[in-house]
Amino acid sequence: MIFVTVGSRNYPFDRLFKKLDKLYEDGILTEPLFAQIGTSTYKPKYFISSEEFLEKINKANIVVSHGASGSIMKALNAGKKVIVVTRLEKYGEHINDHQIQNNEAFSNNRYVLMTDLEMEDLGACFQKIYNKIDGLIPWENKDPLSVVKIIDKFIQETW
């Protein structure tokens, strides 16, 4: 199963869902897909409510995520293969292009596969995972509270 998450903020990501439907039509994707569509207006053939979010991540083999750290981390912490796609300002998908840097950071460390910005290679990313040539390394979160500790330390030292 494939699970797609795009968050719940007020930015549609219709471009991704149209691309996924096309990959099914082209026969590249064949396994079941479920998606958290957020505020997208395009309704993909396969979607779920946000209430089923974590349940679907845990059942998924592959998670396709937009560039939100929280969504990516939930999938990585669940031990899933992750493909990241980038919301772009020019399409009205976000307020700026900060997701590029976020996705590049996860990708450069080989925790996720990142599509090109226009998602032309989304199918190729799936193929890499299917053919076991993705080169991904498992995420190991040795200290789930590390970010909290950094923030706490900053507050203690600054205030």
Side-chain angles (χ1 to χ4, degrees):
M1 177 182 66
I2 299 166
F3 178 68
V4 180
T5 174
V6 299
S8 58
R9 297 196 64 198
N10 195 27
Y11 299 100
F13 205 4
D14 297 338
R15 185 171 59 101
L16 170 61
F17 295 115
K18 290 175 183 176
K19 181 71 174 181
L20 288 166
D21 277 350
K22 178 81 169 100
L23 291 175
Y24 273 99
E25 291 168 12
D26 293 346
I28 293 171
L29 298 180
T30 58
E31 62 187 297
L33 177 140
F34 295 92
Q36 173 206 34
I37 63 170
T39 59
S40 298
T41 56
Y42 178 80
K43 302 298 181 202
K45 296 175 185 171
Y46 309 92
F47 66 94
I48 64 166
S49 67
S50 58
E51 294 81 33
E52 298 172 279
F53 181 84
L54 287 176
E55 175 191 336
K56 295 300 183 185
I57 280 183
N58 289 327
K59 288 183 178 180
N61 299 319
I62 300 170
V63 174
V64 177
S65 178
H66 68 131
S69 297
S71 296
I72 295 169
M73 294 304 303
K74 285 177 185 166
L76 290 174
N77 284 332
K80 305 306 173 179
K81 298 278 187 171
V82 179
I83 299 171
V84 292
V85 293
T86 307
R87 289 177 176 271
L88 297 175
E89 179 183 23
K90 71 181 181 181
Y91 295 119
E93 296 164 344
H94 220 305
I95 58 172
N96 60 34
D97 289 334
H98 72 277
Q99 288 195 354
I100 296 170
Q101 292 80 19
N102 198 42
N103 287 348
E104 285 175 345
F106 280 103
S107 178
N108 290 340
N109 285 291
R110 296 183 24 225
Y111 296 127
V112 303
L113 291 178
M114 178 181 173
T115 67
D116 63 81
L117 297 181
E118 297 300 324
M119 295 184 284
E120 295 296 324
D121 64 347
L122 181 58
C125 289
F126 280 103
Q127 292 295 337
K128 286 179 182 179
I129 293 172
Y130 293 149
N131 295 329
K132 300 184 186 331
I133 57 169
D134 54 65
L136 296 176
I137 59 173
W139 167 261
E140 292 184 28
N141 189 2
K142 295 180 175 129
D143 185 3
L145 296 176
S146 61
V147 173
V148 173
K149 290 176 184 175
I150 291 169
I151 294 169
D152 185 52
K153 181 180 176 187
F154 174 79
I155 291 171
Q156 296 300 323
E157 292 175 357
T158 307
W159 295 9

PDB file of all heavy atoms in Angstrom, residues 1-4 31 60-64 80-83 126 129-130:
ATOM      1  N   MET A   1       0.838  -1.174   0.000  1.00  0.00           N
ATOM      2  CA  MET A   1       0.000   0.000   0.000  1.00  0.00           C
ATOM      3  C   MET A   1       0.889   1.245   0.000  1.00  0.00           C
ATOM      4  O   MET A   1       1.953   1.255   0.603  1.00  0.00           O
ATOM      5  CB  MET A   1      -0.900   0.008   1.232  1.00  0.00           C
ATOM      6  CG  MET A   1      -1.748   1.256   1.312  1.00  0.00           C
ATOM      7  SD  MET A   1      -2.800   1.380   2.754  1.00  0.00           S
ATOM      8  CE  MET A   1      -1.618   1.529   4.043  1.00  0.00           C
ATOM      9  N   ILE A   2       0.410   2.294  -0.651  1.00  0.00           N
ATOM     10  CA  ILE A   2       1.088   3.590  -0.683  1.00  0.00           C
ATOM     11  C   ILE A   2       0.210   4.581   0.070  1.00  0.00           C
ATOM     12  O   ILE A   2      -1.008   4.594  -0.104  1.00  0.00           O
ATOM     13  CB  ILE A   2       1.278   4.084  -2.131  1.00  0.00           C
ATOM     14  CG1 ILE A   2       2.139   3.102  -2.921  1.00  0.00           C
ATOM     15  CG2 ILE A   2       1.876   5.485  -2.153  1.00  0.00           C
ATOM     16  CD1 ILE A   2       2.086   3.336  -4.414  1.00  0.00           C
ATOM     17  N   PHE A   3       0.843   5.387   0.907  1.00  0.00           N
ATOM     18  CA  PHE A   3       0.121   6.425   1.627  1.00  0.00           C
ATOM     19  C   PHE A   3       0.713   7.771   1.251  1.00  0.00           C
ATOM     20  O   PHE A   3       1.933   7.931   1.232  1.00  0.00           O
ATOM     21  CB  PHE A   3       0.227   6.203   3.134  1.00  0.00           C
ATOM     22  CG  PHE A   3      -0.459   7.279   3.939  1.00  0.00           C
ATOM     23  CD1 PHE A   3      -1.834   7.395   3.921  1.00  0.00           C
ATOM     24  CD2 PHE A   3       0.276   8.168   4.691  1.00  0.00           C
ATOM     25  CE1 PHE A   3      -2.469   8.385   4.643  1.00  0.00           C
ATOM     26  CE2 PHE A   3      -0.349   9.167   5.429  1.00  0.00           C
ATOM     27  CZ  PHE A   3      -1.724   9.266   5.402  1.00  0.00           C
ATOM     28  N   VAL A   4      -0.131   8.749   0.950  1.00  0.00           N
ATOM     29  CA  VAL A   4       0.296  10.088   0.561  1.00  0.00           C
ATOM     30  C   VAL A   4      -0.219  11.076   1.595  1.00  0.00           C
ATOM     31  O   VAL A   4      -1.393  11.053   1.948  1.00  0.00           O
ATOM     32  CB  VAL A   4      -0.252  10.477  -0.836  1.00  0.00           C
ATOM     33  CG1 VAL A   4       0.208  11.864  -1.228  1.00  0.00           C
ATOM     34  CG2 VAL A   4       0.150   9.449  -1.870  1.00  0.00           C
ATOM     35  N   GLU A  31      -0.568  -0.833  -6.822  1.00  0.00           N
ATOM     36  CA  GLU A  31      -1.002  -1.209  -5.486  1.00  0.00           C
ATOM     37  C   GLU A  31      -1.958  -0.151  -4.923  1.00  0.00           C
ATOM     38  O   GLU A  31      -2.002   0.968  -5.422  1.00  0.00           O
ATOM     39  CB  GLU A  31       0.193  -1.427  -4.566  1.00  0.00           C
ATOM     40  CG  GLU A  31       1.067  -0.215  -4.341  1.00  0.00           C
ATOM     41  CD  GLU A  31       2.319  -0.559  -3.564  1.00  0.00           C
ATOM     42  OE1 GLU A  31       2.191  -0.978  -2.406  1.00  0.00           O
ATOM     43  OE2 GLU A  31       3.412  -0.394  -4.114  1.00  0.00           O
ATOM     44  N   ALA A  60       1.250   1.286   5.524  1.00  0.00           N
ATOM     45  CA  ALA A  60       1.851   1.558   4.213  1.00  0.00           C
ATOM     46  C   ALA A  60       3.244   0.949   4.085  1.00  0.00           C
ATOM     47  O   ALA A  60       3.969   0.802   5.067  1.00  0.00           O
ATOM     48  CB  ALA A  60       1.935   3.063   3.979  1.00  0.00           C
ATOM     49  N   ASN A  61       3.614   0.623   2.854  1.00  0.00           N
ATOM     50  CA  ASN A  61       4.985   0.249   2.528  1.00  0.00           C
ATOM     51  C   ASN A  61       5.756   1.489   2.111  1.00  0.00           C
ATOM     52  O   ASN A  61       6.941   1.625   2.400  1.00  0.00           O
ATOM     53  CB  ASN A  61       5.016  -0.756   1.369  1.00  0.00           C
ATOM     54  CG  ASN A  61       4.282  -2.022   1.713  1.00  0.00           C
ATOM     55  OD1 ASN A  61       4.390  -2.524   2.820  1.00  0.00           O
ATOM     56  ND2 ASN A  61       3.512  -2.525   0.766  1.00  0.00           N
ATOM     57  N   ILE A  62       5.077   2.373   1.390  1.00  0.00           N
ATOM     58  CA  ILE A  62       5.672   3.599   0.865  1.00  0.00           C
ATOM     59  C   ILE A  62       4.793   4.769   1.290  1.00  0.00           C
ATOM     60  O   ILE A  62       3.569   4.686   1.209  1.00  0.00           O
ATOM     61  CB  ILE A  62       5.756   3.565  -0.678  1.00  0.00           C
ATOM     62  CG1 ILE A  62       6.614   2.392  -1.157  1.00  0.00           C
ATOM     63  CG2 ILE A  62       6.296   4.890  -1.233  1.00  0.00           C
ATOM     64  CD1 ILE A  62       6.548   2.158  -2.660  1.00  0.00           C
ATOM     65  N   VAL A  63       5.435   5.854   1.728  1.00  0.00           N
ATOM     66  CA  VAL A  63       4.714   7.076   2.057  1.00  0.00           C
ATOM     67  C   VAL A  63       5.219   8.175   1.134  1.00  0.00           C
ATOM     68  O   VAL A  63       6.420   8.392   1.011  1.00  0.00           O
ATOM     69  CB  VAL A  63       4.919   7.490   3.532  1.00  0.00           C
ATOM     70  CG1 VAL A  63       4.284   8.850   3.815  1.00  0.00           C
ATOM     71  CG2 VAL A  63       4.354   6.429   4.471  1.00  0.00           C
ATOM     72  N   VAL A  64       4.293   8.848   0.464  1.00  0.00           N
ATOM     73  CA  VAL A  64       4.621  10.032  -0.329  1.00  0.00           C
ATOM     74  C   VAL A  64       4.212  11.222   0.522  1.00  0.00           C
ATOM     75  O   VAL A  64       3.064  11.325   0.940  1.00  0.00           O
ATOM     76  CB  VAL A  64       3.857  10.053  -1.679  1.00  0.00           C
ATOM     77  CG1 VAL A  64       4.164  11.334  -2.444  1.00  0.00           C
ATOM     78  CG2 VAL A  64       4.197   8.819  -2.510  1.00  0.00           C
ATOM     79  N   LYS A  80       9.117   3.544   7.337  1.00  0.00           N
ATOM     80  CA  LYS A  80       8.614   3.457   5.969  1.00  0.00           C
ATOM     81  C   LYS A  80       9.593   4.032   4.960  1.00  0.00           C
ATOM     82  O   LYS A  80      10.408   4.884   5.274  1.00  0.00           O
ATOM     83  CB  LYS A  80       7.281   4.201   5.849  1.00  0.00           C
ATOM     84  CG  LYS A  80       6.239   3.740   6.842  1.00  0.00           C
ATOM     85  CD  LYS A  80       6.018   2.238   6.767  1.00  0.00           C
ATOM     86  CE  LYS A  80       5.110   1.750   7.879  1.00  0.00           C
ATOM     87  NZ  LYS A  80       4.869   0.334   7.795  1.00  0.00           N
ATOM     88  N   LYS A  81       9.499   3.565   3.722  1.00  0.00           N
ATOM     89  CA  LYS A  81      10.201   4.176   2.596  1.00  0.00           C
ATOM     90  C   LYS A  81       9.426   5.445   2.267  1.00  0.00           C
ATOM     91  O   LYS A  81       8.193   5.428   2.178  1.00  0.00           O
ATOM     92  CB  LYS A  81      10.209   3.256   1.374  1.00  0.00           C
ATOM     93  CG  LYS A  81      10.921   1.936   1.589  1.00  0.00           C
ATOM     94  CD  LYS A  81      12.402   2.107   1.432  1.00  0.00           C
ATOM     95  CE  LYS A  81      13.100   0.749   1.484  1.00  0.00           C
ATOM     96  NZ  LYS A  81      14.498   0.842   1.132  1.00  0.00           N
ATOM     97  N   VAL A  82      10.140   6.552   2.070  1.00  0.00           N
ATOM     98  CA  VAL A  82       9.476   7.835   1.886  1.00  0.00           C
ATOM     99  C   VAL A  82       9.940   8.492   0.590  1.00  0.00           C
ATOM    100  O   VAL A  82      11.139   8.567   0.317  1.00  0.00           O
ATOM    101  CB  VAL A  82       9.758   8.792   3.075  1.00  0.00           C
ATOM    102  CG1 VAL A  82       9.073  10.136   2.869  1.00  0.00           C
ATOM    103  CG2 VAL A  82       9.311   8.152   4.388  1.00  0.00           C
ATOM    104  N   ILE A  83       8.967   8.957  -0.184  1.00  0.00           N
ATOM    105  CA  ILE A  83       9.216   9.788  -1.354  1.00  0.00           C
ATOM    106  C   ILE A  83       8.683  11.171  -1.005  1.00  0.00           C
ATOM    107  O   ILE A  83       7.524  11.305  -0.601  1.00  0.00           O
ATOM    108  CB  ILE A  83       8.500   9.253  -2.613  1.00  0.00           C
ATOM    109  CG1 ILE A  83       8.995   7.854  -2.971  1.00  0.00           C
ATOM    110  CG2 ILE A  83       8.673  10.223  -3.785  1.00  0.00           C
ATOM    111  CD1 ILE A  83       8.175   7.170  -4.064  1.00  0.00           C
ATOM    112  N   PHE A 126       9.250   5.597  -7.495  1.00  0.00           N
ATOM    113  CA  PHE A 126       8.555   4.357  -7.133  1.00  0.00           C
ATOM    114  C   PHE A 126       9.311   3.143  -7.672  1.00  0.00           C
ATOM    115  O   PHE A 126       9.493   2.152  -6.963  1.00  0.00           O
ATOM    116  CB  PHE A 126       7.117   4.353  -7.670  1.00  0.00           C
ATOM    117  CG  PHE A 126       6.148   5.131  -6.835  1.00  0.00           C
ATOM    118  CD1 PHE A 126       5.714   6.379  -7.233  1.00  0.00           C
ATOM    119  CD2 PHE A 126       5.659   4.611  -5.646  1.00  0.00           C
ATOM    120  CE1 PHE A 126       4.812   7.100  -6.472  1.00  0.00           C
ATOM    121  CE2 PHE A 126       4.762   5.322  -4.876  1.00  0.00           C
ATOM    122  CZ  PHE A 126       4.327   6.571  -5.289  1.00  0.00           C
ATOM    123  N   ILE A 129      12.264   2.084  -5.573  1.00  0.00           N
ATOM    124  CA  ILE A 129      11.868   1.344  -4.371  1.00  0.00           C
ATOM    125  C   ILE A 129      11.434  -0.066  -4.740  1.00  0.00           C
ATOM    126  O   ILE A 129      11.858  -1.040  -4.114  1.00  0.00           O
ATOM    127  CB  ILE A 129      10.768   2.101  -3.596  1.00  0.00           C
ATOM    128  CG1 ILE A 129      11.346   3.397  -3.021  1.00  0.00           C
ATOM    129  CG2 ILE A 129      10.185   1.222  -2.488  1.00  0.00           C
ATOM    130  CD1 ILE A 129      10.332   4.325  -2.387  1.00  0.00           C
ATOM    131  N   TYR A 130      10.600  -0.201  -5.773  1.00  0.00           N
ATOM    132  CA  TYR A 130      10.135  -1.520  -6.193  1.00  0.00           C
ATOM    133  C   TYR A 130      11.294  -2.424  -6.589  1.00  0.00           C
ATOM    134  O   TYR A 130      11.289  -3.618  -6.309  1.00  0.00           O
ATOM    135  CB  TYR A 130       9.166  -1.411  -7.376  1.00  0.00           C
ATOM    136  CG  TYR A 130       7.849  -0.739  -7.064  1.00  0.00           C
ATOM    137  CD1 TYR A 130       7.171  -0.017  -8.042  1.00  0.00           C
ATOM    138  CD2 TYR A 130       7.259  -0.801  -5.804  1.00  0.00           C
ATOM    139  CE1 TYR A 130       5.963   0.601  -7.780  1.00  0.00           C
ATOM    140  CE2 TYR A 130       6.060  -0.182  -5.534  1.00  0.00           C
ATOM    141  CZ  TYR A 130       5.415   0.516  -6.528  1.00  0.00           C
ATOM    142  OH  TYR A 130       4.214   1.116  -6.264  1.00  0.00           O
TER     143      TYR A 130
END
